[in-house]
Amino acid sequence: MEGVLWHLLASSRGGPTRVRILRALDDRPRNANELAERLDMDYTTIRHHLDVLLENNVVERSGDEYAAVYLCTDQVRANWDVVEEIFETVDGEGD
């Protein structure tokens, strides 16, 4: 899981967006529309990144398709120290 997190969040082109999504989901579960509004991003962009995170077991969906909310998986929560390290690394790259 650690390698997957580093790749998806810090080493790939969509990493910064996925970091923003995970931070928002750490606050509370949200659906794709809520994420798009909160992050001021296009809905289809959010859905694309959620699909990538779903495929890699970083987030999970709860509820039916239309009203589904997304939350971090237990596997990611068990590796939250790695996620925080990635957040710090990504934040430091802007300095």
Side-chain angles (χ1 to χ4, degrees):
M1 176 53 67
E2 184 175 344
V4 169
L5 290 170
W6 277 101
H7 172 70
L8 291 175
L9 303 176
S11 303
S12 62
R13 188 170 172 205
T17 299
R18 293 181 196 124
V19 164
R20 292 180 68 202
I21 290 171
L22 271 192
R23 282 183 162 142
L25 294 178
D26 182 38
D27 189 31
R28 68 172 179 83
R30 299 173 193 275
N31 66 34
N33 278 324
E34 292 172 325
L35 285 167
E37 287 179 19
R38 179 174 172 98
L39 302 177
D40 195 25
M41 297 184 73
D42 182 71
Y43 174 80
T44 56
T45 300
I46 293 295
R47 286 301 309 255
H48 166 73
H49 289 288
L50 285 172
D51 287 344
V52 171
L53 295 171
L54 275 168
E55 291 168 9
N56 287 280
N57 199 32
V58 175
V59 299
E60 60 188 342
R61 187 175 33 223
S62 178
D64 62 20
E65 183 68 30
Y66 180 74
V69 294
Y70 295 84
L71 55 151
C72 297
T73 63
D74 290 341
Q75 193 174 7
V76 166
R77 288 287 179 202
N79 289 279
W80 198 254
D81 57 328
V82 174
V83 173
E84 289 181 340
E85 182 182 350
I86 294 169
F87 286 173
E88 290 174 14
T89 300
V90 171
D91 290 344
E93 290 176 353
D95 297 339

